[in-house]
Amino acid sequence: MFERTRKQLTLLFGSILAVVIILITVTYYLILQQTLQNSEFEKLGNLKDKMNHQWEHRLEELKKQRKDKETDHETKPMEWVFLLSDELIALVTPDGKMYTSPSSYTAMSNQLLQWAQSKEDKGEQGYRFEVNNEGKREVFLVSSSKLTNFGGDYWMAVNITGDIDLLKKIKLLLFLFTILLLSIASGLAYFFAGKAMVPIKKSYHQQVEFTTNASHELRTPLSVIHSSVELLEDCKEALPEFEQHVLDGLQDEVKRMIRLVESLLTLARSDSKQRFFKMEPVDIGQITLQAVNAMQPLAQKKGINVQMESSSIDASSSIIQANADQIRQLLYIFLDNAIKYTPAGGLITIHYGRDHNSKMRLRITDTGIGIPNDELSRIFERFYRVDKARSRELGGAGLGLSIAADILKGHRASIHVTSEEGNGSLFEIVFEA
């Protein structure tokens, strides 16, 4: 029980830490991605400024040459020293001359030249363009623009392959780092969940100890009272009618208190793991017959018919690994409940047998008042009663089905309940062994 609660707390704490870690990682990655993109566009803007400045400088040189009447000299070639190694430019002057910057990126240079020849506008904003350069994938940020105030056009590209590869590596590192942090967070969540469980465990064990001690202490005085009431029963006829009525009521209440104390003691032992029972081959048919015979007088008193059915072919097929006393108590609980909540003239049927998976199935069906659908999920809770007034009137404390669920858990058996209000209930138990 505590381990399950600890796992639930671990899941809660771990989920919160995971969300925080993932949000921080994703935010960091997005900021880094945006920073790199801004850097790329800044490079493109700087390249545009350098190109305009260089062209302005070249025009000034040409003007100076004309003024000095050096027209007979060969015009100086376009200088590209202002370019970085990852920057490329294709230029078309106002008089139609075309220049291309030298570059090792042959495929991209040819592409810029093709765009320049066809005067294909690529926009000033810049966008990513992929090329295959000798079998290697490269990504460039490309743009085109007009030379400021001087006419002419140019197409430019900046190699951003390194930035993209860097971003991929960072993404992988962040992913691995996130996995590592999530693992650490899970360990921390489990550790702190255990710390949070310490006061809960302490309080729970104190409660179990109190229940156990109180149940033990109550058994002795209740036994004395019960014995005294039984002695008074011997001289009941000599008592006045009113006192006889009081004696009957006292006997019923003492019996109810004894059952309640026994139930509390059973659950307390189960909670404290003090209850150990031996598993052995048990004939479910024989125990069912014994339980039916024991409960028959109570059923007949209410005018209820109890039937027993079996689909077992031979006696050996009804053998399961179980504890006989526990299975007997289990049947008493279900039969007692069925008798309590089935009106006179009703029918209770107990059927046992193997299914197609060779698992033993035990079905207890009644034609009683049924259980509302919204109450079905809670009927195995301690002290929970569907009809509290009726349960109190019938002497129920709301612990029987809790004890039954505990017995089934100890036998690794499952139970499925179907019920329709006003038409009875079906309790189906499946034993794995």
Side-chain angles (χ1 to χ4, degrees):
M1 180 180 67
F2 287 115
E3 188 61 27
R4 184 179 64 180
T5 305
R6 186 176 185 178
K7 287 178 180 178
Q8 290 174 342
L9 285 174
T10 301
L11 182 62
L12 176 62
F13 295 156
S15 299
I16 294 172
L17 289 173
V19 169
V20 172
I21 290 171
I22 291 172
L23 282 176
I24 291 174
T25 305
V26 170
T27 303
Y28 175 77
Y29 175 77
L30 291 176
I31 291 173
L32 182 63
Q33 184 183 46
Q34 189 61 44
T35 302
L36 286 175
Q37 287 181 353
N38 292 339
S39 175
E40 292 166 3
F41 286 112
E42 187 177 348
K43 285 181 182 179
L44 200 63
N46 291 337
L47 180 58
K48 180 179 178 182
D49 293 339
K50 288 191 292 184
M51 183 64 232
N52 282 304
H53 180 73
Q54 176 67 16
W55 184 245
E56 182 180 356
H57 177 69
R58 181 173 177 78
L59 288 179
E60 287 177 357
E61 284 185 343
L62 290 173
K63 286 180 182 179
K64 186 177 180 182
Q65 285 179 357
R66 290 191 191 100
K67 187 181 291 186
D68 294 341
K69 299 182 179 181
E70 294 179 356
T71 52
D72 56 330
H73 286 249
E74 186 178 345
T75 303
K76 289 176 64 178
M78 186 73 176
E79 295 180 354
W80 302 101
V81 293
F82 66 94
L83 294 179
L84 299 177
S85 60
D86 58 352
E87 297 174 342
L88 299 85
I89 287 181
L91 170 67
V92 178
T93 63
D95 57 2
K97 290 182 180 180
M98 190 173 295
Y99 300 92
T100 313
S101 64
S103 173
S104 59
Y105 306 115
T106 308
M108 192 67 236
S109 294
N110 293 337
Q111 186 63 56
L112 286 178
L113 187 61
Q114 182 180 340
W115 288 337
Q117 290 172 345
S118 61
K119 293 188 176 182
E120 185 177 340
D121 184 21
K122 292 296 164 183
E124 294 189 21
Q125 296 300 319
Y127 74 95
R128 291 185 177 185
F129 184 80
E130 293 185 13
V131 295
N132 193 321
N133 189 25
E134 298 179 355
K136 182 182 177 182
R137 173 182 168 274
E138 293 176 336
V139 183
F140 292 82
L141 191 65
V142 300
S143 173
S144 64
S145 182
K146 289 187 175 294
L147 291 168
T148 308
N149 300 326
F150 303 103
D153 303 280
Y154 62 92
W155 286 256
M156 54 188 175
V158 178
N159 189 352
I160 58 172
T161 307
D163 291 346
I164 292 175
D165 291 341
L166 176 63
L167 196 62
K168 286 181 178 178
K169 290 177 181 177
I170 291 175
K171 185 193 293 185
L172 177 61
L173 288 174
L174 285 176
F175 175 76
L176 296 175
F177 186 63
T178 302
I179 295 297
L180 177 63
L181 286 180
L182 288 176
S183 301
I184 295 172
S186 298
L188 289 174
Y190 188 76
F191 173 76
F192 286 118
K195 289 290 185 183
M197 291 295 295
V198 170
I200 299 174
K201 284 182 178 180
K202 183 178 178 181
S203 176
Y204 177 80
H205 289 311
Q206 287 176 344
Q207 177 186 335
V208 170
E209 186 178 357
F210 169 77
T211 305
T212 306
N213 293 336
S215 299
H216 275 294
E217 292 298 324
L218 286 170
R219 288 179 76 182
T220 301
L222 283 173
S223 298
V224 172
I225 294 172
H226 187 247
S227 300
S228 300
V229 170
E230 286 184 337
L231 286 174
L232 288 174
E233 279 287 325
D234 295 337
C235 55
K236 180 179 178 181
E237 299 299 329
L239 297 174
E241 183 179 351
F242 175 74
E243 293 180 2
Q244 290 182 18
H245 179 70
V246 171
L247 184 60
D248 290 337
L250 180 61
Q251 188 176 29
D252 291 340
E253 287 302 315
V254 170
K255 288 179 179 179
R256 189 176 71 85
M257 286 298 296
I258 289 174
R259 287 197 302 270
L260 176 59
V261 168
E262 291 294 337
S263 297
L264 286 172
L265 190 56
T266 299
L267 290 173
R269 285 171 178 165
S270 174
D271 291 340
S272 61
K273 308 300 181 185
Q274 293 178 357
R275 190 173 58 159
F276 301 96
F277 45 83
K278 181 182 177 182
M279 292 291 193
E280 56 188 358
V282 171
D283 188 339
I284 191 72
Q286 183 180 355
I287 292 183
T288 302
L289 179 61
Q290 291 172 359
V292 169
N293 290 336
M295 301 298 289
Q296 199 68 255
L298 184 60
Q300 290 175 354
K301 186 177 178 180
K302 283 193 65 176
I304 298 170
N305 184 23
V306 181
Q307 293 182 355
M308 181 175 162
E309 299 175 353
S310 171
S311 58
S312 298
I313 300 174
D314 51 57
S316 62
S317 64
S318 62
I319 303 295
I320 62 170
Q321 285 294 123
N323 179 270
D325 292 334
Q326 294 287 302
I327 298 299
R328 191 176 291 108
Q329 185 181 8
L330 180 74
L331 288 166
Y332 284 157
I333 290 170
F334 284 117
L335 285 172
D336 182 59
N337 269 6
I339 293 170
K340 280 179 181 177
Y341 297 104
T342 299
L347 174 65
I348 299 172
T349 305
I350 302 179
H351 179 276
Y352 66 91
R354 300 278 177 181
D355 61 14
H356 62 282
N357 292 321
S358 298
K359 294 180 179 180
M360 176 59 70
R361 289 182 179 267
L362 179 65
R363 298 186 186 92
I364 299 99
T365 311
D366 64 61
T367 57
I369 60 174
I371 306 168
N373 285 330
D374 56 343
E375 306 276 358
L376 282 174
S377 60
R378 302 191 60 190
I379 60 174
F380 293 102
E381 294 179 11
R382 296 180 185 183
F383 297 104
Y384 185 78
R385 293 171 291 190
V386 176
D387 188 343
K388 294 177 177 58
R390 186 181 179 93
S391 296
R392 196 176 293 110
E393 179 185 340
L394 295 171
L399 291 174
L401 290 180
S402 298
I403 295 173
D406 185 67
I407 293 171
L408 291 172
K409 182 179 179 182
H411 285 77
R412 292 183 299 173
S414 60
I415 184 168
H416 179 68
V417 184
T418 54
S419 184
E420 185 178 349
E421 208 169 353
N423 290 321
S425 305
L426 166 63
F427 289 80
E428 185 173 27
I429 302 167
V430 181
F431 293 94
E432 298 295 332

